Amino acid sequence: AQVNENVNGIRDLLSMTLTSIARDGVTLFGLLGVMIYQDPVLSLSSLVIGPPLIYTVVYLMRRVRRITRESVQINSRLIGAMQEATQGIAIVKAFTMEDELSRRIGQLANSAEHRGNKIARVSERLSPISDMLAGLAVTGVIAYSGYRALVLGQPPGAVFSFITALMLAYDPARRLARMQVGMERALVNARMIYEILDLEPQQGDAPEAAEANFTTGEVRFNNVSFRYVEEAPVLQDLSFVAAAGKMTAIVGASGAGKTTLVALLQRFYDVEAGTIEIDGQDISKITKQSLRSSIAYVSQQPYLFEGTIRDNIRYGRLSATDAEIEQAARLAQADGFIRQQPLGYDTPVGENGASLSGGQRQRVSIARAIVRQAPILLLDEATSALDNEAEAKVQEALTHVMEGRTTIVIAHRLSTVVNADHIIVLEQGHLVEQGTHASLMADPHSVYSRFHRVQGRKGLGLVDDGAPIQTPAPGPTQPIETQGIAGSAR
Ligand SMILES: Nc1ncnc2c1ncn2[C@@H]1O[C@H](COP(=O)(O)OP(=O)(O)O)[C@@H](O)[C@H]1O
Ligand SMILES: [Mg+2]
């Protein structure tokens, strides 16, 4: 919205400026020549209005500069608020937020209108002031030349061509002064665009960053600490190895730092302390481009782009053939529903996949990760929106995809985790336990076996620690997230 607003501001002025500078500049220059030729003394004396005029222009420019900036910011917020309200329209209606949102957007609109009016008022203030100054100059010239004709007896004829030139010069001079104020607005617009263009990415490549040269894809965290904000450490002194070609599962309550861990591995953020290595290469010393092209990622909130389903899967690897795309969709259990769409693979998905269900979006984004064929696979609760049956199928398909790849799975249901080669248990950013399912279950007091008891009772039927097994409850089961550890402490 800011870029748009600013570009419009510049464009409006540019067309006006180019014609005006050429025409008015030349006219004014010529007329000034005539005036000086006719009567140098009068010319100089009529320039006394120069300093107050310049002062006014400079003063107005300064005010316009500040209001323009505020106005662009408020207009952008207004557009942002309207977009947000539209995107969240289902929640707006469900929670009957219409009146409140109308009120807020109305407030922003009023404020934008107010700023717009203010800019107009300030810019227009120049006209009466410059008119008055010009009037004074003309009056002064007429009075003085009358005095010269009547009292000093000089011929009045020459003075008339001088006055004509002066009055003709007035219009172009006024337009040029106005344009100066307008120019100031455009300069603010241009500056604000460059402020955005000049933003530096926070995770820049190191000056001598090398290309990634991964052989097996072993991931190693060495004493990694990280925080988003000063007061709240998220990961603390975290060390583990995700073995090459194996499946490592990460479990922990909501907010434990699981998503943060995979974000750090992709360098969405830089670690605060410690290092992350892949095949012995410190990821902060290789280019982001080559690091990320070795990773396939399914994010916790699947995101689809405007375009067709096929396009969305192909974003995994632009060189993928149609056959590869369909194969990936089959593995992700997505082929069936895709073929039922009106145009099959060529069905547009709408903004952020709005025309698909949550589970369908998730399977398309899994297909996108499969088609990437990267040596490292990161799955962040990738099957959380699927029902048990679909999840089981996707899991089975993923075991083929995982073969020979280093996979880090953030598990939402513990049924996934049971088969992992290695399990890491996070609690509030600390690694509290690690091992295999069997070794962690061996200790009935471990955090991991507590998770299992809680989920087992919820009817997942995967309990093997002697807790009573119930028949599976109908409907979607709860992820461990929503139960938390408090539930198991009872
Ligand atoms: N962008 C962010 N800015 C500030 N804090 C964040 C951000 N993302 C996550 N957090 C905080 O970091 C902690 C870990 O979050 P996350 O890694 O998403 O947990 P998990 O995936 O295990 O549920 C949480 O306390 C969360 O509030
Ligand atoms: Mg998460």
Side-chain angles (χ1 to χ4, degrees):
Q2 265 202 31
V3 168
N4 206 10
E5 175 93 1
N6 285 319
V7 167
N8 284 340
I10 296 175
R11 189 197 52 198
D12 289 349
L13 196 92
L14 219 54
S15 53
M16 215 171 79
T17 313
L18 290 179
T19 49
S20 173
I21 284 189
R23 193 188 52 208
D24 295 332
V26 170
T27 313
L28 184 63
F29 201 71
L31 290 169
L32 282 178
V34 172
M35 284 164 63
I36 291 167
Y37 173 77
Q38 291 284 352
D39 198 328
V41 178
L42 266 186
S43 302
L44 273 180
S45 56
S46 60
L47 285 185
V48 294
I49 67 159
L53 189 59
I54 290 173
Y55 174 78
T56 314
V57 168
V58 169
Y59 168 76
L60 291 178
M61 269 162 51
R62 204 176 309 137
R63 296 216 41 194
V64 158
R65 210 178 297 158
R66 190 171 49 84
I67 308 170
T68 303
R69 185 167 278 271
E70 284 172 7
S71 157
V72 169
Q73 280 160 353
I74 287 187
N75 288 356
S76 317
R77 273 175 54 200
L78 177 61
I79 294 177
M82 294 205 296
Q83 186 182 344
E84 198 183 52
T86 322
Q87 279 177 344
I89 195 69
I91 304 297
V92 172
K93 287 186 176 168
F95 286 84
T96 55
M97 291 156 64
E98 290 98 332
D99 289 344
E100 173 62 12
L101 278 185
S102 294
R103 196 183 59 76
R104 284 199 195 182
I105 290 179
Q107 260 178 6
L108 279 173
N110 281 343
S111 172
E113 184 191 349
H114 177 73
R115 289 300 187 301
N117 290 343
K118 206 160 161 190
I119 291 187
R121 270 204 306 275
V122 170
S123 313
E124 292 310 314
R125 201 172 292 165
L126 183 63
S127 299
I129 295 175
S130 59
D131 281 356
M132 195 182 72
L133 288 171
L136 286 177
V138 173
T139 315
V141 167
I142 292 177
Y144 177 62
S145 47
Y147 166 79
R148 276 202 318 201
L150 295 177
V151 180
L152 305 180
Q154 290 185 3
V159 146
F160 274 97
S161 56
F162 178 86
I163 290 178
T164 310
L166 176 64
M167 285 169 50
L168 283 178
Y170 169 60
D171 252 354
R174 191 179 59 166
R175 272 201 295 272
L176 285 173
R178 272 174 71 105
M179 206 185 58
Q180 193 60 45
V181 175
M183 280 282 265
E184 196 58 29
R185 254 158 75 187
L187 276 180
V188 172
N189 291 135
R191 212 168 283 141
M192 289 180 83
I193 290 179
Y194 277 103
E195 278 167 18
I196 294 175
L197 289 179
D198 290 346
L199 284 177
E200 287 287 329
Q202 286 188 324
Q203 284 72 38
D205 281 338
E208 281 164 17
E211 292 292 300
N213 180 18
F214 302 151
T215 46
T216 60
E218 181 199 68
V219 174
R220 188 181 282 273
F221 275 58
N222 301 316
N223 309 97
V224 169
S225 297
F226 176 76
R227 67 186 78 201
Y228 291 99
V229 287
E230 200 48 53
E231 320 78 62
V234 175
L235 295 180
Q236 295 179 58
D237 203 22
L238 187 67
S239 299
F240 69 88
V241 179
K246 299 281 194 257
M247 169 179 168
T248 302
I250 302 187
V251 297
S254 176
K258 307 180 297 293
T259 297
T260 305
L261 187 152
V262 293
L264 290 178
L265 182 55
Q266 296 172 86
R267 277 197 77 207
F268 295 160
Y269 301 92
D270 278 329
V271 295
E272 179 187 322
T275 52
I276 301 174
E277 288 171 7
I278 300 178
D279 286 336
Q281 278 185 284
D282 184 341
I283 63 165
S284 68
K285 299 202 170 71
I286 55 186
T287 62
K288 277 181 300 185
Q289 174 80 25
S290 66
L291 167 71
R292 291 175 188 165
S293 62
S294 311
I295 295 176
Y297 174 51
V298 181
S299 67
Q300 192 165 8
Q301 274 114 19
Y303 194 90
L304 301 188
F305 296 87
E306 179 95 56
T308 65
I309 296 178
R310 192 189 303 281
D311 291 340
N312 268 288
I313 300 179
R314 182 168 280 134
Y315 280 128
R317 183 165 47 91
L318 294 179
S319 61
T321 63
D322 283 353
E324 286 173 320
I325 286 173
E326 285 165 31
Q327 166 71 7
R330 267 193 295 277
L331 285 172
Q333 299 293 311
D335 186 67
F337 81 78
I338 294 176
R339 288 189 189 283
Q340 282 165 13
Q341 299 290 313
L343 299 173
Y345 279 84
D346 296 312
T347 310
V349 297
E351 199 172 320
N352 188 16
S355 69
L356 298 180
S357 79
Q360 291 172 335
R361 278 201 289 272
Q362 213 160 38
R363 279 176 282 175
V364 171
S365 64
I366 291 173
R368 177 166 62 199
I370 292 174
V371 107
R372 192 163 185 75
Q373 298 182 346
I376 296 170
L377 182 61
L378 305 179
L379 304 171
D380 190 354
E381 317 214 356
T383 50
S384 58
L386 303 186
D387 56 72
N388 281 342
E389 193 185 324
E391 183 183 30
K393 284 188 188 155
V394 173
Q395 280 305 340
E396 193 195 304
L398 281 176
T399 48
H400 297 301
V401 178
M402 289 175 192
E403 255 163 45
R405 302 211 153 93
T406 307
T407 310
I408 295 184
V409 179
I410 294 175
H412 133 85
R413 290 188 195 119
L414 294 177
S415 53
T416 321
V417 177
V418 174
N419 302 318
D421 298 294
H422 192 68
I423 298 169
I424 285 161
V425 183
L426 281 189
E427 220 174 45
Q428 296 180 0
H430 292 278
L431 190 159
V432 288
E433 286 162 12
Q434 57 180 325
T436 61
H437 174 72
S439 75
L440 289 170
M441 289 305 281
D443 175 5
H445 301 295
S446 69
V447 178
Y448 181 78
S449 49
R450 227 161 56 204
F451 279 155
H452 262 268
R453 280 195 294 277
V454 175
Q455 267 200 14
R457 290 207 194 94
K458 286 285 172 184
L460 274 174
L462 44 81
V463 192
D464 57 359
D465 63 347
I469 298 177
Q470 295 175 354
T471 45
T477 46
Q478 301 247 328
I480 54 171
E481 309 262 340
T482 51
Q483 297 149 18
I485 299 174
S488 65
R490 267 182 277 130

